[in-house]
Amino acid sequence: MRSDNAKSGMQQAPARSLYRALGLTEEELARPLVGVVSSYNEIVPGHMNLDKIVEAVKQGVAMAGGTPIVFPAIAVCDGIAMGHEGMKYSLVTRDLIADSTECMAIAHQFDALVMVPNCDKNVPGLLMAAARLNIPTVFVSGGPMLAGRVKGEKRSLSSMFEAVGSYAAGTMTEEDVKEFECKVCPTCGSCSGMYTANSMNCLTEVLGMGLPGNGTIPAVYSERIRLAKKAGMAVMDMLEKNIRPRDIMTKEAFYNALTMDMALGCSTNSMLHLPAIAHEAGVDVNVDVANDISAKTPNLCHLAPAGPTYMEDLNEAGGIHAVMNEIARLGLLNLDCMTVTGKTVGENIKGCVNKNPAVIRPVENPYSQTGGIAVLRGNLAPDSCVVKRSAVVPEMLKHEGPARVFDSEEEAIAAIKGGKIVAGDVVVIRYEGPKGGPGMREMLNPTSAIAGMGLGSSVALITDGRFSGASRGASIGHVSPEAAAGGPIGLVEEGDVISIDINANAINMNVSDEELARRRSTWTPRTKEVTGYLKRYQRLVTSADKGAILED
């Protein structure tokens, strides 16, 4: 056992004395040591129940003959961090989580790991660590929140942000906003739509790193506790069979994840995280393949914010494996990929039927013949940008309008709420990328303000920052190269006509090459003076099209 390096032989008697200080018995030390990575904290609603999940995991590990030992991982609540400097510290935690988990796992020579994450950067950060460490690992998330109910309709966090925009537009009272505030987030769990946290938990299941139900069983269901116990038992089976993350997270598995990303209509943040996780697994996943996969993958789900269904509905309809079974009918999945169950994808999804065609559309009746995410290119984004096509109204799939240019999120929000943005405009927010932010802030506030003010079907938003999975509309992010790295988004001037054709995967500013060259000759990209961790991050981070990974 790997842990023998820390606990066996006369040389390790001092270490054993410290294990005894932990209260471990001879019997516990004789068993494999399984690290349980707990992301529990009291500031993130998606993490407040993880203490119960962790205890269930420990029971599962112990029942299967292992010794569970808990250590922590951090997590930021994007919703609480939104709209102020705190959002600069969200994406950057992904690498802190991966690095710190690597440190703890190797320093203490754990034989296996069970990862217990839930929210946005916490899940990909731990997936990166799992790929890097390559010791038997199972994931079990804390599960999604139940949808709220306001005036008889299901609602979620995105409704809350849009309510603020409606209040600014004068179409909602303060009392109405208060009702939303008190009802849209009714339970613990990751926010109830197909936002980033749930997207990544679902894709963890698709990758084969989580048990069936990992992405969809609601946080408050006792079934989630049972799943956690099974995860603890499963990792012991993986240890016995020597099944490791890189046996599971192969190139074929990542292509399965991208395919299901398109079918489910996941958050655009998946286009940051999947390449970063693949990089740690030694697999090259370039965003360029997304359009090829999208072209042949139908979009079968319209969960909030794209539609009126929620994670609880997807769970009742059969969950992720039911969607995978639909897509497998088209021959679009590699069914031979190994998973943490010790079985292949094909074996796992066999017999998983679609129980509600209104939630999971059959492949004969998709929302669209192409996938939920599109990668665009053009002279505004030579290295690509990303849009959640499934959350764009049909009339905005092709749009042309004058640029309204802002060098920060705050400037843009002030203009939107001040009534200075009108139908037809293209809002451009720059210097918010990985380096320029730094930290690549999510833009849920401006997109929600646009939607709340009734401009969602007539105004586009483009940024070198990124969007929350809760954003909807023609919200185009990850523009690469970013302005701070010399990207042409930094050359856009007020009034330039921007042309967007999402179905043609094109985005351009109608400005001649000669004029762009003239502007560039007198332009110096802006930089922001930062301190602490952000300074180091700013120096090392790569562009969004590469997954915003840190330079080796």
Side-chain angles (χ1 to χ4, degrees):
M1 291 186 293
R2 177 189 178 93
S3 60
D4 287 341
N5 295 328
K7 67 184 184 185
S8 296
M10 185 57 66
Q11 181 72 21
Q12 294 309 119
R16 287 197 299 277
S17 73
L18 294 169
Y19 283 123
R20 294 182 189 282
L22 292 170
L24 296 181
T25 64
E26 293 278 3
E27 292 80 4
E28 287 172 306
L29 285 174
R31 299 171 180 172
L33 301 185
V34 179
V36 181
V37 186
S38 172
S39 304
Y40 169 77
N41 64 46
E42 294 183 343
I43 189 63
V44 184
H47 291 234
M48 63 182 286
N49 66 319
L50 295 191
D51 54 341
K52 296 176 178 61
I53 303 297
V54 166
E55 285 304 313
V57 168
K58 290 172 66 179
Q59 290 179 46
V61 170
M63 284 190 289
T67 298
I69 301 175
V70 179
F71 66 89
I74 64 171
V76 163
C77 178
D78 280 19
I80 294 174
M82 197 76 65
H84 54 85
E85 66 174 348
M87 182 45 71
K88 296 176 184 288
Y89 285 86
S90 173
L91 178 60
V92 304
T93 64
R94 188 184 69 181
D95 296 276
L96 283 173
I97 291 163
D99 292 348
S100 60
T101 303
E102 174 193 357
C103 292
M104 289 293 288
I106 294 179
H108 301 101
Q109 293 291 286
F110 286 107
D111 296 300
L113 297 171
V114 180
M115 307 291 199
V116 187
N118 211 26
C119 289
D120 296 25
K121 314 310 166 298
N122 185 239
V123 181
L126 290 178
L127 282 166
M128 289 165 67
R132 191 184 299 177
L133 289 161
N134 202 35
I135 60 176
T137 303
V138 173
F139 277 68
V140 56
S141 76
M145 184 184 290
L146 295 179
R149 283 168 173 78
V150 182
K151 293 179 172 58
E153 294 185 11
K154 286 186 177 182
R155 298 290 188 174
S156 63
L157 184 65
S158 57
S159 306
M160 184 71 253
F161 279 87
E162 291 180 15
V164 174
S166 297
Y167 175 76
T171 58
M172 189 175 282
T173 67
E174 187 174 348
E175 290 73 22
D176 289 332
V177 174
K178 183 73 172 181
E179 183 179 5
F180 271 77
E181 180 183 328
C182 294
K183 293 181 177 179
V184 296
C185 296
T187 71
C188 62
S190 47
C191 296
S192 55
M194 189 57 83
Y195 310 144
T196 305
N198 290 327
S199 294
M200 294 310 303
N201 283 322
C202 291
L203 294 180
T204 297
E205 191 175 329
V206 176
L207 277 171
M209 290 298 293
L211 296 175
N214 179 70
T216 60
I217 298 171
V220 295
Y221 282 14
S222 296
E223 187 181 358
R224 176 65 57 177
I225 300 295
R226 296 196 295 272
L227 184 74
K229 292 176 182 177
K230 290 177 182 177
M233 291 185 275
V235 82
M236 295 303 297
D237 184 58
M238 290 179 68
L239 182 60
E240 182 180 347
K241 295 175 179 176
N242 196 29
I243 300 173
R244 298 169 181 259
R246 292 194 185 190
D247 300 325
I248 296 170
M249 289 192 281
T250 61
K251 186 169 186 176
E252 292 76 18
F254 280 103
Y255 275 56
N256 280 352
L258 285 167
T259 299
M260 289 302 298
D261 194 332
M262 300 300 169
L264 290 164
C266 291
S267 164
T268 53
N269 281 311
S270 62
M271 292 293 102
L272 277 178
H273 300 321
L274 287 175
I277 299 160
H279 174 75
E280 297 292 351
V283 175
D284 181 25
V285 172
N286 192 296
V287 294
D288 286 334
V289 305
N291 286 337
D292 292 336
I293 292 173
S294 179
K296 55 188 178 184
T297 307
N299 177 227
L300 305 184
C301 298
H302 265 194
L303 284 87
T309 54
Y310 295 82
M311 297 305 297
E312 62 199 65
D313 303 312
L314 180 58
N315 187 62
E316 294 303 315
I320 299 305
H321 282 191
V323 187
M324 292 178 76
N325 223 1
E326 285 285 351
I327 293 298
R329 290 168 53 200
L330 299 176
L332 297 179
L333 294 179
N334 187 311
L335 302 181
D336 296 326
C337 292
M338 180 52 62
T339 73
V340 294
T341 66
K343 299 178 181 179
T344 64
V345 168
E347 291 172 316
N348 285 342
I349 69 174
K350 186 177 181 180
C352 296
V353 299
N354 180 357
K355 300 175 183 177
N356 189 342
V359 176
I360 305 170
R361 286 199 175 183
V363 292
E364 295 84 3
N365 181 37
Y367 282 100
S368 65
Q369 294 293 340
T370 53
I373 289 177
V375 175
L376 316 182
R377 287 180 183 269
N379 68 356
L380 185 58
D383 291 343
S384 76
C385 56
V386 179
V387 63
K388 188 172 183 176
R389 174 166 43 198
S390 60
V392 180
V393 294
E395 56 266 37
M396 288 299 290
L397 290 171
K398 190 170 185 178
H399 180 77
E400 188 170 278
R404 304 299 309 280
V405 184
F406 305 95
D407 287 346
S408 71
E409 177 187 6
E410 289 82 0
E411 292 175 17
I413 291 172
I416 295 165
K417 292 186 175 179
K420 297 179 181 178
I421 303 302
V422 300
D425 283 348
V426 178
V427 176
V428 177
I429 306 176
R430 58 194 182 191
Y431 293 106
E432 291 286 6
K435 287 184 182 294
M440 204 179 185
R441 288 194 286 182
E442 286 185 345
M443 301 290 163
L444 181 54
N445 273 331
T447 59
S448 298
I450 286 171
M453 297 183 77
L455 297 171
S457 60
S458 60
V459 169
L461 196 153
I462 300 170
T463 181
D464 53 9
R466 60 194 178 93
F467 294 108
S468 165
S471 291
R472 62 186 176 98
S475 303
I476 300 166
H478 306 192
V479 170
S480 302
E482 61 177 294
I489 189 173
L491 302 176
V492 180
E493 293 184 356
E494 188 81 7
D496 286 346
V497 175
I498 306 293
S499 297
I500 301 163
D501 191 337
I502 293 173
N503 287 332
N505 305 114
I507 183 166
N508 289 284
M509 47 180 159
N510 297 346
V511 179
S512 69
D513 292 343
E514 293 76 15
E515 173 60 16
L516 290 176
R518 185 195 66 76
R519 293 180 188 180
R520 186 174 292 279
S521 68
T522 60
W523 172 64
T524 301
R526 290 175 46 185
T527 56
K528 294 176 185 173
E529 289 297 322
V530 289
T531 58
Y533 180 65
L534 285 184
K535 185 173 184 178
R536 185 161 74 251
Y537 184 87
Q538 185 182 56
R539 186 172 69 249
L540 297 175
V541 71
T542 59
S543 66
D545 66 297
K546 295 180 174 62
I549 61 173
L550 302 185
E551 297 277 12
D552 292 332

